[in-house]
Amino acid sequence: MATFSGRSYVGQFDASKLIGSIRDGAHQGVGKAGAALQRHYKLMLNKPGPNKTRHTGDVYTQKSGPSKGQTETIRASAPGEPPRYRTRDLLNSVQYEYEGDTVVRVGTHLKYGLILELGLGRLKGPRPWLRLGLVQMQNEISRIILASIKKGK
């Protein structure tokens, strides 16, 4: 131990810049992860409901066309599958927003997004997309945040 000006010193450093850099990186990473989860949700919801692909859900018809004089055959998603679109309203409503420095909320303001997720009302079962997408993206979210912390941005 060396003595300088009557004081004893043992290796000292200020980690405030490092901690600030980690905090900034985490904030940026959380935002990037939120955007990635938003894209993943939109991919999950971007599968058509009309009889264009093979789905196992119920088939029904609805009026369509400018004057609603035509009918369209729809094959809905089956319980356990993510919802299929008809209007793309749910798909287009998916957004993310910061809640503080380290939390990002990703989802929809549309009530029927939660109804589909939980299988409420007249549905025969849930059409999971929120929880399922989060589970599917868990490793990618961690990777994005850690990469941003390492960069310090």
Side-chain angles (χ1 to χ4, degrees), residues 50-140:
N51 246 350
K52 295 177 184 169
T53 60
R54 293 176 17 182
H55 298 296
T56 57
D58 293 339
V59 177
Y60 59 94
T61 58
Q62 74 175 20
K63 293 188 179 207
S64 64
S67 63
K68 303 276 186 189
Q70 301 169 325
T71 59
E72 178 181 25
T73 301
I74 304 290
R75 182 174 298 274
S77 56
E81 295 178 347
R84 304 296 185 230
Y85 72 77
R86 288 190 335 222
T87 64
R88 294 186 186 237
D89 289 346
L90 181 59
L91 175 118
N92 292 329
S93 74
V94 176
Q95 299 177 10
Y96 74 97
E97 64 185 16
Y98 279 98
E99 187 176 290
D101 284 339
T102 57
V103 176
V104 168
R105 294 166 36 126
V106 185
T108 178
H109 66 281
L110 298 177
K111 192 181 219 178
Y112 74 90
L114 185 60
I115 290 171
L116 289 165
E117 173 76 13
L118 300 175
L120 303 175
R122 296 180 294 157
L123 292 177
K124 296 177 183 174
R127 273 53 174 191
W129 62 284
L130 292 166
R131 292 174 289 180
L132 178 63
L134 187 57
V135 168
Q136 291 171 344
M137 289 291 291
Q138 189 171 4
N139 290 338
E140 181 66 7

Side-chain angles (χ1 to χ4, degrees), residues 7-73:
R7 298 176 142 165
S8 297
Y9 289 90
V10 211
Q12 176 181 333
F13 65 91
D14 180 0
S16 60
K17 287 184 181 179
L18 174 62
I19 291 169
S21 179
I22 291 169
R23 187 176 296 122
D24 291 346
H27 179 75
Q28 292 295 319
V30 165
K32 290 176 183 178
L37 184 57
Q38 177 190 32
R39 282 189 303 275
H40 185 73
Y41 283 154
K42 288 186 173 200
L43 286 173
M44 291 176 73
L45 296 171
N46 196 21
K47 296 195 169 90
N51 246 350
K52 295 177 184 169
T53 60
R54 293 176 17 182
H55 298 296
T56 57
D58 293 339
V59 177
Y60 59 94
T61 58
Q62 74 175 20
K63 293 188 179 207
S64 64
S67 63
K68 303 276 186 189
Q70 301 169 325
T71 59
E72 178 181 25
T73 301

